Amino acid sequence: MANESHYIIRGGESGAERLHVLGRVMRPASLAVLGRAGLAPGMDVLDLGCGSGDMTVEIARVAGSTGRVVGIDMDAGVLAHAKRDSDACGLPIEWRQARIEDVDETDSFDLVYARFLLSHLPDPRDALRRMCRAVRPLGRVVVEDIDISAHVHWPPSAAFRRYVELYTATGRARGVDPGIGPRLPALLIDAGLEAVDVAVSMPVFRQGEGKTVARITLSNIAESAMASGLTCREEIDRLARELAGHEADPRSIQSTAQVFQVIGRRPLKELDTAGV
Ligand SMILES: C[S@@+](CC[C@H](N)C(=O)[O-])C[C@H]1O[C@@H](n2cnc3c(N)ncnc32)[C@H](O)[C@@H]1O
């Protein structure tokens, strides 16, 4: 499928494991933004690019038995993983395998959410148009996404800087924007949303699995980075060893990339998408 080549991170089971780590690390910040957006029992919610469903499950817990929650992703492997988890929790989530480019819902949800999806799409404006169409008038669109260039780490590490450089270059080589975070408010305004609100989250860690995100992500982009001719197996292995050394130092810190959290409200009137 033509667009699949834009996604730079390994999918399937191994990708799902990484998403679970990221899910646990980001859970408090993501729940907070959904709370600010008014997520409540009884709501109908769509999670686009839901991956292994970590946030879809959290959303379903809040929406409860009177709500309806749908998770859509193009990757059958991560969806199977998500379904196993939600079945085990007894949560009636509707999982759908589809590409965002084929999502054509109209006025169907109270809240439409996408975390870490737009930075993987060559046409994030088209995705936002679909999200705005899917949400009901006065419903909320919530997006969270990264600026990969903004991390905190100490002590300074050439391996960490090279990881950020490789992630950025691999995304750009595939025609996507790993630095999309600061553009998100403007993209939501251009899509016709009102009352656009922005916040930034950047969890930072001295210990625990939050400190492994950079190394695990490097391992999961390795095939894409090598296929783009940006690096080789020897360099990936050396960087992974150096990042593991940085993690193991009890005095060091590492953050996730800066995450922009943006909420917009669909107006009552027809969407004004003149700027799109
Ligand atoms: C970085 S993951 C984020 C997953 C989840 N939202 C989370 O925060 O844990 C991005 C997800 O978007 C999916 N994805 C990427 N491009 C897509 C597209 N064009 N259509 C549907 N899903 C897509 C990938 O399969 C992957 O599961």
Side-chain angles (χ1 to χ4, degrees):
M1 284 191 278
N3 232 15
E4 217 149 32
S5 61
H6 292 286
Y7 190 54
I8 65 170
I9 305 179
R10 199 184 291 146
E13 285 292 321
S14 149
E17 290 305 331
R18 170 184 169 274
L19 288 176
H20 282 324
V21 173
L22 198 58
R24 287 189 290 270
V25 166
M26 287 304 303
R27 181 177 176 275
S30 293
L31 282 176
V33 70
L34 286 167
R36 285 201 300 281
L39 176 66
M43 278 191 167
D44 297 341
V45 183
L46 172 61
D47 184 6
L48 273 176
C50 61
S52 52
D54 298 76
M55 281 314 294
T56 330
V57 163
E58 297 292 344
I59 290 167
R61 287 190 208 286
V62 178
S65 56
T66 53
R68 170 175 166 251
V69 177
V70 179
I72 295 183
D73 202 284
M74 67 180 183
D75 181 341
V78 292
L79 281 179
H81 202 98
K83 183 171 171 6
R84 271 203 310 274
D85 288 354
S86 67
D87 286 352
C89 303
L91 291 164
I93 297 170
E94 190 183 321
W95 301 105
R96 276 192 222 158
Q97 186 188 0
R99 305 183 62 82
I100 174 86
E101 297 79 1
D102 298 323
V103 170
D104 218 1
E105 298 273 349
T106 305
D107 297 353
S108 308
F109 297 94
D110 302 303
L111 194 154
V112 176
Y113 177 60
R115 186 175 74 173
F116 308 143
L117 172 69
L118 299 185
S119 59
H120 293 290
L121 301 178
D123 191 352
R125 287 172 183 269
D126 176 66
L128 272 169
R129 262 196 301 273
R130 291 173 192 280
M131 293 176 75
C132 293
R133 211 181 298 140
V135 79
R136 298 182 178 122
L138 299 184
R140 298 297 193 278
V141 170
V142 182
V143 292
E144 295 191 87
D145 225 313
I146 58 168
D147 178 1
I148 191 71
S149 69
H151 275 89
V152 171
H153 74 280
W154 192 92
S157 156
F160 200 98
R161 286 195 302 273
R162 176 67 175 146
Y163 150 68
V164 172
E165 186 179 276
L166 277 177
Y167 190 107
T168 308
T170 307
R172 295 215 173 117
R174 299 288 178 99
V176 302
D177 182 5
I180 199 168
R183 284 173 59 206
L184 290 176
L187 286 172
L188 266 70
I189 291 167
D190 290 349
L193 296 173
E194 54 186 27
V196 171
D197 173 81
V198 58
V200 169
S201 166
M202 190 166 61
V204 59
F205 301 91
R206 191 185 68 74
Q207 57 195 4
E209 64 182 354
K211 231 177 161 183
T212 67
V213 170
R215 181 171 49 83
I216 298 176
T217 303
L218 172 73
S219 147
N220 279 264
I221 64 162
E223 285 89 5
S224 299
M226 289 189 288
S228 298
L230 296 164
T231 185
C232 59
R233 176 49 61 192
E234 291 69 31
E235 185 186 31
I236 294 284
D237 290 346
R238 178 178 57 76
L239 294 176
R241 279 194 304 277
E242 289 178 22
L243 287 174
H246 194 273
E247 274 163 51
D249 175 355
R251 298 173 68 249
S252 73
I253 58 166
Q254 289 185 22
S255 75
T256 66
Q258 211 169 57
V259 179
F260 285 72
Q261 306 177 299
V262 189
I263 304 171
R265 181 177 67 211
R266 181 174 162 179
L268 250 187
K269 59 183 174 57
E270 276 305 288
L271 282 169
D272 172 12
T273 53
V276 182

